[in-house]
Amino acid sequence: MSEYRIETKCVQSGYKPENGEPRTLPIYQSTTYKYDNTDEVGELFDLKKSGHMYTRISNPTVAEVEKKIADLEGGTGALLTSSGMSAILVAVLNITSAGQNIISMTSVYGGTVNLFSVTLKRLGIEVRYVNDSMSDEEVEALFDENTRLFYGETLANPGLDVFDIEKYAEIAHRHGVPLIVDNTFPTPINCRPFEWGADIVVHSTTKYMDGHATVIGGCIVDGGKFDWTNGKYPELTEPDESYHGVKYVSHFGNGLAYINKAQCQLIRDFGMPLTPMSAFILNLGLESLHLRVERHCSNALKVAQFLSEQEKVESVSYPGLESDPRHSLAEKYMPKGTSGVISFSIKGGRDAAVRFMDSLKLAAIVVHVADARTSVLNPAGTTHRQLTDEQLAAAGIPAGLIRLSVGIENVDDIIDDIKQALQNA
């Protein structure tokens, strides 16, 4: 589908029915698959032929949705996982082991910070954090022979910092490591990380890709351009004894080695696939992604403009605003719009924020973001409460910060709800 525009890909990529087959993607609700003889199954386990051996590793329904997301991002292959966090974990562990390190931006999702700073530390993997106030020389001083990757979010959750993909891709590549980018908030509709030098893209498909708060999921997309034969990644170039000595680069080619290793080895061992039913529901969301993202962005811009004019509002963070200091960077990487997420603070701190949120009638207080319905949350007290005060400050999350996920309802109704809630704040 590479010749079509992205709106058409949302609807048509992936599943291709043949003559007389179902028009819509079927749900292959089966854990197992039947073969005519033992040798065929043996060839599957030896990776000598393609096919499905067990749904913990792969499934026809899931595979078709993976094809669609790879096409949307412009990658060579994709891998769906049971959640966004599992996608990040697999993306890192696929090329990182104990005694090695990764470099990450400080302004990333709180759950990712906890994964990096606590769980990976227990596994013997060090995480070195950088921020935009550091010079290139200060950032590059953190690289060494054990550095395996650089990680960032196109649009940080919830601080909304815009990641300078091109800049950090060049830095990562100078040191022979790939750039992994979480593109959850902009989605491939608004941001194309591979076109700016990223090598691997991850998503929490739970957010805009699903769009209806119905299924948890994650995805890893391989850009297919990073050179895994540069001597730093023997796990991709040397024999894998768990698969009869297969060499992933030699077997799948440089452009598909990373994603196939993640599926054949880590999804097999960790058992964190996306289920067929969840993939089917996700695909329904993907078919309207381009329409919803456009409405989320147009609504959010109007809401952000309204908030920025209110006396009770102390600050508004939304890169789509021309007054936002990150606007020019957002225009470079996300010219169609950023997302439907706004971060803002009300005068009066946390107490005022609580009064505001408790007074909302249309918007709901939920531990979620980026679906069709407008929702609100105080990150410091919920999703990011495991962070220290220092970590919260580094991520740009003051105690009274409100994260508003603007939905696709009528924007005047959303603004009216905010107006009446501000009166009680």
Side-chain angles (χ1 to χ4, degrees), residues 47-338:
L47 304 180
K48 291 180 179 178
K49 65 181 295 184
S50 60
H52 304 284
M53 60 188 93
Y54 197 55
T55 289
R56 189 181 81 233
I57 302 172
S58 65
N59 171 277
T61 305
V62 175
E64 296 297 347
V65 184
E66 289 170 340
K67 290 178 186 176
K68 174 174 284 189
I69 295 176
D71 199 21
L72 291 175
E73 281 287 8
T76 54
L79 176 63
L80 284 167
T81 65
S82 57
S83 69
M85 292 307 301
S86 63
I88 297 169
L89 178 63
V90 170
V92 172
L93 293 186
N94 200 36
I95 52 173
T96 311
S97 303
Q100 298 174 335
N101 66 78
I102 69 173
I103 295 176
S104 171
M105 300 299 293
T106 55
S107 55
V108 294
Y109 170 57
T112 304
V113 173
N114 196 69
L115 170 65
F116 287 177
S117 299
V118 179
T119 304
L120 289 188
K121 183 178 180 180
R122 289 174 180 166
L123 298 177
I125 297 170
E126 179 190 0
V127 181
R128 301 171 178 178
Y129 289 101
V130 301
N131 59 65
D132 285 328
S133 67
M134 298 170 65
S135 66
D136 289 2
E137 292 74 19
E138 289 174 314
V139 173
E140 297 200 51
L142 296 177
F143 286 81
D144 60 29
E145 67 276 8
N146 289 318
T147 303
R148 305 296 280 177
L149 60 92
F150 194 111
Y151 183 91
E153 293 178 2
T154 45
L155 199 59
N157 176 14
L160 301 181
D161 288 339
V162 178
F163 185 49
D164 195 339
I165 304 170
E166 188 173 35
K167 169 186 172 180
Y168 290 109
E170 290 175 356
I171 291 175
H173 293 162
R174 279 201 293 270
H175 294 271
V177 304
L179 177 66
I180 299 181
V181 174
D182 185 327
N183 197 33
T184 296
F185 272 10
T187 80
I189 303 299
N190 283 349
C191 187
R192 316 285 297 163
F194 291 142
E195 296 176 7
W196 297 101
D199 301 292
I200 305 294
V201 165
V202 295
H203 284 276
S204 170
T205 62
T206 315
K207 309 304 189 297
Y208 287 118
M209 283 190 168
D210 164 28
H212 303 90
T214 51
V215 289
I216 300 288
C219 191
I220 308 168
V221 187
D222 190 343
K225 295 181 180 179
F226 188 80
D227 182 13
W228 302 109
T229 66
N230 65 5
K232 286 180 172 285
Y233 301 93
E235 56 268 82
L236 289 166
T237 58
E238 298 303 315
D240 178 2
E241 297 307 322
S242 72
Y243 260 118
H244 310 291
V246 65
K247 298 179 181 179
Y248 291 100
V249 170
S250 299
H251 191 82
F252 294 105
N254 193 72
L256 284 169
Y258 175 92
I259 205 72
N260 276 283
K261 177 182 179 294
Q263 180 171 41
C264 296
Q265 189 186 78
L266 296 186
I267 294 298
R268 174 200 65 184
D269 292 350
F270 291 158
M272 50 176 70
L274 192 67
T275 66
M277 180 60 76
S278 292
F280 174 81
I281 296 171
L282 169 60
N283 188 62
L284 293 178
L286 289 169
E287 289 179 352
S288 64
L289 179 65
H290 57 295
L291 299 173
R292 290 183 288 102
V293 166
E294 182 179 357
R295 181 61 172 264
H296 280 294
C297 291
S298 64
N299 276 1
L301 181 58
K302 292 175 183 176
V303 171
Q305 290 168 339
F306 168 79
L307 286 169
S308 65
E309 297 168 355
Q310 303 310 301
E311 184 179 346
K312 291 185 178 181
V313 175
E314 190 171 59
S315 64
V316 179
S317 178
Y318 187 69
L321 289 172
E322 291 184 6
S323 58
D324 193 286
R326 298 153 302 187
H327 181 70
S328 60
L329 205 57
E331 284 284 288
K332 174 180 177 179
Y333 293 118
M334 294 164 271
K336 294 181 180 179
T338 55

Side-chain angles (χ1 to χ4, degrees), residues 339-360:
S339 75
V341 181
I342 302 169
S343 291
F344 67 101
S345 295
I346 294 177
K347 293 176 182 177
R350 177 173 169 75
D351 289 342
V354 169
R355 287 195 299 272
F356 169 80
M357 292 190 296
D358 288 348
S359 299
L360 290 166

